[in-house]
């Protein structure tokens, strides 16, 4: 999601009393293809109680371990207040 869309999702989650898992593979905030947008989103959501965490990379690891490690470390640097899910 974009920062604006994420703000709307966070507001809905707060209203419903649930937590948001942010998809960092979505267009507009892809952790690898659009790292500056992903960074802006993570930094905006840092510390927000309605966010559960950030989801990245949901496929077979294969030869992508180096890239996944880079992305996990980036997201943890951008938002150290939420976990990063890599499955």
């Amino acid at each position: 999601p974009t920062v604006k869309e994420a703000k709307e999702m966070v507001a809905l989650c707060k209203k419903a009393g649930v937590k948001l898992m942010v998809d960092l593979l979505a267009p507009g905030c892809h952790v690898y293809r659009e790292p500056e947008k992903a960074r802006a989103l993570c930094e905006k959501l840092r510390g927000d109680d309605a966010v559960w965490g950030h989801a990245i990379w949901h496929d077979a690891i294969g030869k992508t371990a180096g890239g996944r490690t880079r992305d996990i470390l980036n997201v943890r640097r951008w938002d150290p207040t939420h976990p990063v899910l890599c499955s």
Side-chain angles (χ1 to χ4, degrees), residues 1-2 5 25-30 34:
T2 64
E5 291 167 339
L25 296 178
C29 67
H30 195 284
E34 302 168 291

Side-chain angles (χ1 to χ4, degrees), residues 57-65 68 86-87:
W57 299 111
H58 304 293
D59 55 4
I61 292 177
K63 297 179 183 179
T64 64
R68 288 175 193 239
C86 180
S87 59

